[in-house]
Structures are given as structure tokens and as C-alpha cells.
Amino acid sequence: NSRRIDDALRLLAPLVEQIPDDAQAQYWLGQAYLHNRRFDEALEHLERSAALAPDNLALRLELGRARAIAGDAEQAERIFIDIAATAPDAATAGEARRQLELVRDEGNLLRRAIAMEEAGRPDRAERLYRRLLADDETGDAGEGAEALEAGYRLGRLLLQRDDLDDAIETLETYRRQARDLAPPERLREADTLLEEAYERRAASWAMQLGEIDPDTGAAFVFGRRLVNTGRHALALQVLTPLIAHMPDDPQVRYWLG
């Protein structure tokens, strides 16, 4: 439990300071940090442990597992591939291949991405979500259910980060692909997120148009998108100020009308 992990950290941290070149001490401190979800500190000590005992493939395997748990699937893959190719015994090589399969499994990848997001590591979660989406585009994601969920979660994450253009594009793609596949409640959640993204983007454009010389072409494209998706009140917020910047443009007048 967490109390035992905290006790282990209190014992191991000063011990490692006294014997910094002991691979096993570094390993156990890294494991304690890993169980406490302190991933950066865990990886620092597990990397040190593996470097101190380069011939100990068990320590390398544990480093690979920690990389996978921490959401660094690419580095974990490299470690397992290297061990599988160089291990002198079949058992170690087989375990490395088994771990490699787990890293590449889409369902496992999605679970790790969600765990990273819940642990407050949105950067690592984003990389894993994007990897699932890239796998789906190349036809490697099986049924595609994991990629659909990754698309929804990535769009939500981008919206939380205020990356509105990317969030809108991601959520619109999810909405098209998930129309006949996702549960109705998840589709409604996606619609709510999209509506929020549209409103925030419209407010941003309206503010920019009132204060600075805007990128009117981009605003015009976004205004047309709002019209085409039935969000007429938001479209008015974006398109109305364009008249002052493009008073003689018939396209602006047409879409505003």
C-alpha cells in the first residue's frame, strides 16, 4: 500500500545517497518511485541501475516495463527489441518478446494513455493517443475501437489545453467516424465538447477582429464552417466584424446573409 511505499522511500533514498553505485539499491528506489507514480524519478534511478550493471538483462527488462508504464512506448519497444535480439538465453529473449507484444497491443496502449492522463501527464497521454490514431490510419489497429476512443480523448485533452483548432479537427473527425459505432451518450459528450470549442473559437475570432488586424481568411473559413454546421449565432459573431475589413467582398456578404 501507499504507506509501505512511503516507508520504503524514506529508507531507500538516504541509502542510495550513501552507495550511489549500487545497482540493486538504485533499482529498488526506482521501483518505489514507480509504485508512487513518480515516473521521472523512477526512470532516473532505473536507468542508473541498468547502466551500473549493463550485463544484467533483468534490470534492462524492468527498465523497459517502467518505460511502458510511464507512457514512453517508443523507448520501451527499443529496449525489448534489443534484449530479444541479444539475450544469450531463450527465456530472457522470450520474456522480452512477450513484453514487446504487450507494449504494441492497442487495448493496453489505450489503458496506459488513460492512466497517464489521470496521473497528470497529458504530454505522454497525447503521444499515446496520437500513436493509436496513426496505427489506425495504417490499418494496424484491429477493429478500430481503441482508436475511436483515443480520438475522443485526444480532442478533449486538446480542448483542455486551449488548442482549439486541433481540438475541433480531432473532435469533428471522431464525430464522423463514430456516428454509427459509439454509444449515444459518448456522441452527446463529443457534441458538447465541439460546441464548447466552437464557442471559444468564435469568441477568440471576434476579439481578434475587434482589436488587431486579423487573419481574415482563416476567420472567413471558420465562419463558413459554423454556418454549414448550423451554428448561426456563432457564425454571426465571426462574420459580422469581417464586413469592416472586407466591405466589398461578395462572399463575406453572402455567408453573412
Side-chain angles (χ1 to χ4, degrees), residues 20-247:
D21 294 333
D22 187 290
Q24 287 298 318
Q26 293 281 356
Y27 166 76
W28 285 114
L29 181 56
Q31 286 293 328
Y33 279 128
L34 188 64
H35 280 86
N36 229 12
R37 302 177 75 87
R38 292 166 63 174
F39 298 118
D40 290 339
E41 292 153 301
L43 292 173
E44 176 185 347
H45 289 284
L46 292 171
E47 288 276 7
R48 177 67 176 153
S49 173
L52 287 168
D55 295 330
N56 190 330
L57 294 183
L59 293 178
R60 290 280 294 164
L61 277 170
E62 290 301 322
L63 174 61
R65 290 193 187 99
R67 284 281 179 193
I69 292 169
D72 193 350
E74 292 80 6
Q75 284 293 335
E77 278 192 23
R78 293 190 187 99
I79 291 171
F80 293 138
I81 289 172
D82 179 65
I83 294 174
T86 60
D89 61 285
T92 302
E95 178 62 17
R97 285 192 291 270
R98 191 180 74 83
Q99 292 295 327
L100 183 60
E101 290 176 2
L102 289 174
V103 170
R104 289 175 170 173
D105 175 73
E106 286 81 12
N108 198 35
L109 197 64
L110 179 62
R111 288 190 293 274
R112 288 203 307 276
I114 294 171
M116 287 298 101
E117 189 175 354
E118 292 174 347
R121 304 299 296 269
D123 53 336
R124 291 180 183 266
E126 180 182 347
R127 286 202 296 270
L128 293 172
Y129 290 142
R130 291 191 183 278
R131 174 172 173 168
L132 275 164
L133 294 173
D135 285 346
D136 192 52
E137 290 173 1
T138 58
D140 296 331
E143 297 297 322
E146 291 85 1
L148 277 180
E149 181 67 9
Y152 167 80
R153 288 180 173 273
L154 176 60
R156 185 179 64 182
L157 190 153
L158 293 168
L159 182 60
Q160 292 169 352
R161 199 175 67 196
D162 211 30
D163 191 347
L164 299 178
D165 289 337
D166 204 358
I168 288 171
E169 181 180 356
T170 302
L171 288 167
E172 285 181 340
T173 300
Y174 167 81
R175 195 61 181 80
R176 287 193 304 270
Q177 294 176 342
R179 184 181 315 157
D180 301 320
L181 300 172
E185 60 271 17
R186 179 46 59 90
L187 295 177
R188 287 193 292 270
E189 291 169 0
D191 286 341
T192 299
L193 292 175
L194 261 176
E195 190 69 29
E196 180 184 347
Y198 284 136
E199 289 178 358
R200 286 163 60 179
R201 195 72 188 96
S204 174
W205 279 118
M207 184 180 299
Q208 290 182 44
L209 290 167
E211 296 178 356
I212 62 174
D213 183 20
D215 183 349
T216 51
F220 178 52
V221 170
F222 183 64
R224 285 190 306 173
R225 180 188 291 180
L226 291 172
V227 172
N228 287 331
T229 55
R231 293 166 173 83
H232 300 111
L234 296 176
L236 282 172
Q237 291 183 40
V238 174
L239 293 172
T240 299
L242 286 178
I243 291 293
H245 296 274
M246 307 164 68

